């Protein structure tokens, strides 16, 4: 009896990280997949209503039928389909954008939130304004005096008279509900692809960790007072014991049976066999390994004879552990292109907002000062 108890090591940081990453990645993937399914279900009708069906004569007349003064069937359907996409399925974008603005920073969530909110609010105001102007126009004599035949004879060319005209097809259906819905849908699709890539990385990390065996057969050196050090080449005759791989130390000699995984990096001190090291080098055919050759932990003894290996690197110092650490670090860190995108967005978003405000100010001022050609006010 050697009097040695089998000690179980604590779970490694890499294993715990891989487990949590796989669990979180799977949950994140399911969330984004569910959101994308609902976005696609609600956004597809908005695309058809806005971009496809209006080009069919029968559908065009039906979709522009007024359900109420100033409210067409198209506007009602688009508003109904877009609202849950904007506020429910896209709510996380708005929450992240608000959090970024509170920190005094801007990112792509801010741009997505502002663009979709602008399209939605403008469209809603356009529909409500159409309803209000339609009701006002029906009770106002201006609609009869402002427009002549075909709506081109303007009395006194007064923009206020022209704005009193109600044309549900060309004027009050000038909304952009489909823009908000489709934009959120495509961004959600991008998030789904990103979550899928993270999930695959987590599975690859778990597969790497699974390559490391849990237990090894350690050969115990015979020792007696006054005897010379035991020759490692005679390790086949030593006493062997099973131990956890985490208990191996540099200089230990382990026995690797045919079909077993090498528990650590080291050098063959006895035996000859073939080792499948495709997980490290990608070699399809197992390579011959004999006394004096180096081997890598996690590779497979694919030959028919045992190998006796002196441990030279184990635990966090092994090649497999370093590969696992690199994959885990790459998963947690931002790639250079993402850091560059964040840096660009910090300038791009304020610049886009500034240009948008400048554009709106220029057009509003031109309309207010009546600086535009008269025909611009027909469908303003």
């Amino acid at each position: 009896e050697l009097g040695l108890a089998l000690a179980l090591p604590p779970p490694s940081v890499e294993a715990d990280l891989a487990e949590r990453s796989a669990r979180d990645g799977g949950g994140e993937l399911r969330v984004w997949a569910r959101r994308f399914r609902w976005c696609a279900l609600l956004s597809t009708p908005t695309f058809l209503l806005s971009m496809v069906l209006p080009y069919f004569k029968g559908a065009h007349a039906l979709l522009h039928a007024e359900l109420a003064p100033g409210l067409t069937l198209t506007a009602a359907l688009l508003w109904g389909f877009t609202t849950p996409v904007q506020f429910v399925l896209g709510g996380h974008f708005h929450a992240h954008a608000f959090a970024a603005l509170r920190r005094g920073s801007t990112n792509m969530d801010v741009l997505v939130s502002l663009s979709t909110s602008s399209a939605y609010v403008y469209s809603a105001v356009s529909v409500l304004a159409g309803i209000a102007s339609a009701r006002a126009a029906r009770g106002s004599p201006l609609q009869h005096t402002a427009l002549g035949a075909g709506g081109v004879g303007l009395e006194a060319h007064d923009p206020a008279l022209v704005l009193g005209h109600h044309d549900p097809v060309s004027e009050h259906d000038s909304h952009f509900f489909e823009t908000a819905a489709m934009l959120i849908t495509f961004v959600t699709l991008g998030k789904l692809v990103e979550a899928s890539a993270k999930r695959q990385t987590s599975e690859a990390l778990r597969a790497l960790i699974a390559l490391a065996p849990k237990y090894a057969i350690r050969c115990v050196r015979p020792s007696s007072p006054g005897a010379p050090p035991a020759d490692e080449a005679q390790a086949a005759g030593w006493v062997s014991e099973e131990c956890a791989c985490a208990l191996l130390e540099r200089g230990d000699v382990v026995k690797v049976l045919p079909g077993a995984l090498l528990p650590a990096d080291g050098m063959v001190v006895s035996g000859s066999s073939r080792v499948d090291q495709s997980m490290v080098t990608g070699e399809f055919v197992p390579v011959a390994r004999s006394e004096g050759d180096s081997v890598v932990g996690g590779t497979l003894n694919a030959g028919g004879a045992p190998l006796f290996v002196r441990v030279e690197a184990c635990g966090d110092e092994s090649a497999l552990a370093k590969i696992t650490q690199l994959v885990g670090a790459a998963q947690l860190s931002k790639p250079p292109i993402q850091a560059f995108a964040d840096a660009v967005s910090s300038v791009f978003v304020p610049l886009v907002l500034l240009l948008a405000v400048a554009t709106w100010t220029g057009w509003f001022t031109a309309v207010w000062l009546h600086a535009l050609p008269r025909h611009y006010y027909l469908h303003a």
Side-chain angles (χ1 to χ4, degrees):
E1 292 291 338
L2 296 174
L4 297 177
L6 181 61
L8 296 178
S12 65
V13 176
E14 289 80 10
D16 182 62
L17 174 63
E19 187 67 26
R20 286 189 288 107
S21 297
R23 183 172 61 253
D24 297 342
E28 183 183 9
L29 181 61
R30 287 190 295 271
V31 169
W32 285 113
R34 183 171 63 252
R35 287 175 178 171
F36 176 71
R37 285 195 297 269
W38 281 105
C39 282
L41 181 64
L42 295 172
S43 298
T44 301
T46 66
F47 174 78
L48 296 176
L49 288 169
S50 302
M51 304 296 178
V52 179
L53 295 180
Y55 292 96
F56 295 90
K57 291 183 178 180
H60 184 275
L62 175 63
L63 293 175
H64 288 87
E66 287 191 290
L67 302 178
L71 178 63
T72 63
L73 178 60
T74 301
L77 291 175
L78 289 177
W79 200 348
F81 283 124
T82 303
T83 299
V85 177
Q86 175 70 20
F87 295 105
V88 179
L89 301 174
H92 54 280
F93 294 117
H94 308 312
H96 292 168
F98 180 73
L101 291 176
R102 288 187 60 183
R103 295 192 302 267
S105 62
T106 55
N107 53 23
M108 294 309 294
D109 288 328
V110 174
L111 194 59
V112 171
S113 178
L114 286 176
S115 58
T116 56
S117 298
S118 299
Y120 182 89
V121 171
Y122 173 85
S123 302
V125 170
S126 177
V127 173
L128 295 177
I131 296 174
S133 63
R135 292 181 177 179
R138 291 196 175 190
S140 173
L142 289 177
Q143 65 172 344
H144 304 293
T145 61
L147 298 174
V152 294
L154 302 181
E155 184 174 294
H157 302 296
D158 188 355
L161 296 180
V162 178
L163 292 176
H165 170 58
H166 168 60
D167 181 1
V169 175
S170 59
E171 178 181 347
H172 299 302
D173 276 354
S174 59
H175 39 64
F176 304 96
F177 285 117
E178 75 283 352
T179 300
M182 295 303 297
L183 181 57
I184 290 178
T185 300
F186 280 114
V187 175
T188 302
L189 175 61
K191 294 291 186 180
L192 175 61
V193 173
E194 180 181 356
S196 177
K198 289 182 179 179
R199 176 66 181 274
Q200 293 176 2
T201 304
S202 299
E203 292 177 351
L205 185 59
R206 294 181 64 186
L208 281 174
I209 295 175
L211 291 175
K214 299 294 186 294
Y215 303 100
I217 300 176
R218 180 168 54 189
C219 297
V220 180
R221 301 169 183 264
S223 61
S224 58
D231 186 4
E232 292 176 342
Q234 305 300 322
W238 297 359
V239 178
S240 60
E241 64 175 5
E242 186 178 31
C243 71
C245 290
L247 300 179
L248 292 176
E249 297 179 354
R250 186 184 181 91
D252 288 343
V253 176
V254 294
K255 180 180 180 180
V256 185
L257 298 174
L261 296 173
L262 276 73
D265 300 350
M267 179 178 293
V268 178
V269 295
S270 180
S272 177
S273 184
R274 301 186 70 84
V275 176
D276 180 3
Q277 51 187 22
S278 57
M279 55 81 61
V280 176
T281 63
E283 295 174 280
F284 181 75
V285 179
V287 295
R289 287 291 181 263
S290 57
E291 184 176 346
D293 294 332
S294 297
V295 290
V296 179
T299 55
L300 177 68
N301 182 2
L307 288 175
F308 294 86
V309 179
R310 182 176 69 246
V311 176
E312 296 183 345
C314 56
D316 293 340
E317 298 179 355
S318 66
L320 180 61
K322 291 179 180 179
I323 294 174
T324 303
Q325 291 169 4
L326 288 174
V327 174
Q331 185 181 20
L332 295 177
S333 61
K334 287 185 178 182
I337 187 62
Q338 185 173 354
F340 175 75
D342 291 341
V344 170
S345 65
S346 64
V347 179
F348 177 71
V349 174
L351 180 60
V352 168
L353 295 179
L354 181 62
L355 292 176
V357 172
T359 302
W360 179 85
T361 302
W363 278 101
F364 183 83
T365 303
V367 172
W368 186 263
L369 298 177
H370 296 178
L372 299 176
R374 293 188 179 95
H375 65 274
Y376 277 39
Y377 297 93
L378 269 175
H379 303 301

